[in-house]
Amino acid sequence: MSDNTATGAEAAAGREVPTDFIREAIKEDLRSGRFDRVHTRFPPEPNAYLHIGHAKAVWIDYGIALEFGGLFNLRFDDTNPLKEEQEFVDAIIEDVRWLGADWGDRLFFASDYFEQMYDWAVDLIKKGKAYVCDLSAEEVSATRGTLTEPGIESPYRNRSVEENLDLFARMRAGEFADGSRTLRAKIDMASPNVLMRDPIMYRILHTSHHRQGDKWCIYPTYDWAHGLEDSIEGVTHSLCSQEYEIHRPLYDWFLDELGIYHPRQIEFARLNMTYTVMSKRRFIELVNGGHVSGYDDPRLPTLAGLRRRGVTPEAIRDFCQKIGVAKRDSLVDVAIFEDCVREDLNRRAPRAMAVLDPIKVVLTNYPEGQTEEMDLVNNPEDPSTGTRRVPFGRELYIEREDFREEPPPKYYRLAPGREVRLRSAYFIRCDEVVKDAEGNVVELRCTYDPATRGGNAPDGRKVKATIHWLNVPTAVPAEIRLYDHLFLKPDPDDVAPGQDFTANLNPESLRVVRGFVEPGLSHAPAGARYQFERVGYFCADPDTEPGTPVFNRTATLRDTWAKIEKRGAG
RNA sequence: UGCCGGAUAGCUCAAUUGGCAGAGCGGCUGACUCUGGAUCAGCAGGUUCUAGGUUCGAGCCCUAGUCCGGCAGCCA
């Protein structure tokens, strides 16, 4: 694909690519001859939207394939028609493509392997390694034993191969009701690993499948299906999250009993991040509870939400690389993610001026009716982006925060009698503060120094601060959505007894503000990203309309003054 | 409680496979600056979970224990 192969490019350029226990294991497999190539896969179930934890998995899978010159498949693990929908298939494809992973022509569906899986199940029955069990779900669970006690063998465990073959064929033919029978692997009801106690391979489900329609009424379970899918596709390294570690003996058992090509499963720790939640169930609760607007709410760590917020795939990839891969559980500080976002956007986002909370400034010595245009640098990080012209006049908006009637120590911005620079325009001095009946500051009357046009004083005098501004008649009203952490605590589950995680919801995770932006942004297309100078990174929302733009705050700028002031207050 | 896995700086990860414990982020300090942004420089003195053992030498190996996570869906 286009520019999203930096991981491979870095590897090719010999730049240092961080290693981890998985990459080391793969190198060892290549050295020992266990495998002579690398082939990975990302196997989502199409039953939910992807989140940044999935992005980590994608970048482990795809990144490793790239680094080792191997292949990467996108495969939908669609073995449960009760939960899966085409809508999710489409959304996941969009998300993975947006992330920048390239599966070439290898887009696969586990359901396309159902026939082969069925044949292999028949093989296992013939070997006496699988049997049709008539126990109900409750009975299966009751006879499974506990973590400390062995299970009890099913009374149907020793049916003849002929009877099993007949019953299994009739299961497929639709002769039996849902839940009335299952196909089980005959392993060991006394195994200390509960998953090995004759696990279910097929269940009867008279339900249409989003791709297979009504072709099947028996569906394979994850444990039975997953290794087969990997085997069929020739995957070498089946990388998954740690919850599957205990499933590995089963994964290996099926492949060994079948005697078919045997990929290696390796598990890594899933991603957790501070001030957010990372599970499908939690997302549903938040959406249904009206706490967020939908799965693409910019406060959610879903890929759709992050995209809407203005986060780039490159920032996500950089983040995945920085957090590394390990086996221990971890809680990643969201500050690391935000830092990746800033680093990326700082490089690429064009600058613009926006005033979120305006206060009017009148330049008393600026001729009435006069206007002019100032040249502003589009991106100091990238001179090739050139400059733009921004109208300037007698009446301006500046940020309310950029003025203090009684400036505290170390406050460098505008105050009565003080001089500051209007970015790329003029030095101005505040002469007079106009207030309303309640004593609120409504207007600042200032004088400008015509000799400082462009922002420099010929006499060499300095100002301590540069602030941003907007020309009142040409300022474009805009809706600006200021997002903050969704939760007040690093761990949303840190609640008093009897409360649930919603008790930690941040009531100010979204603040909508009516501000102004420079005229060039009145028709910003949805998805366009900017740095509003001295304020933060913003992205035009899909709700934006020509002439009345809507912007989402992607991230704030680091604000050292805020830190100084907070320290003073604390 | 049985089995599986984990434990290194506030956080996330390293440590050439047994050879003087490092990095990024955060935090703090300073420099610089037409974004108090960006950038640059400095600051971590860590019982490598604990206690034993092997060894000239242990974060790496062995033993016992502690704590944390996962597993008893016909979910994945």
Side-chain angles (χ1 to χ4, degrees), chain A residues 404 406-413 418 464 561 564-565 568:
Chain A
R404 290 291 172 85
E406 289 170 35
K410 287 190 160 178
Y411 184 90
Y412 303 149
R413 289 115 100 170
R418 280 237 198 124
K464 284 287 263 183
W561 163 251
I564 292 169
E565 194 171 43

Side-chain angles (χ1 to χ4, degrees), chain A residues 39-45 50-51 53-62 71-77 92-93 95-96 99 101 103 106-108 226 230 233 235 237-239 268 303:
Chain A
H39 195 154
T40 62
R41 103 268 95 114
F42 176 62
E45 183 188 17
L50 261 33
H51 54 65
H54 293 109
K56 170 179 175 177
V58 167
W59 278 106
I60 290 170
D61 293 324
Y62 179 58
L71 296 173
F72 165 79
N73 296 358
L74 174 59
R75 178 178 73 229
F76 285 94
D77 206 357
I92 290 170
I93 287 175
D95 284 347
V96 178
L99 272 181
W103 57 86
R106 291 174 309 283
L107 170 63
F108 299 124
H226 203 83
D230 289 337
E233 293 178 14
V235 164
H237 298 271
S238 181
L239 312 176
F268 56 86
L303 262 21

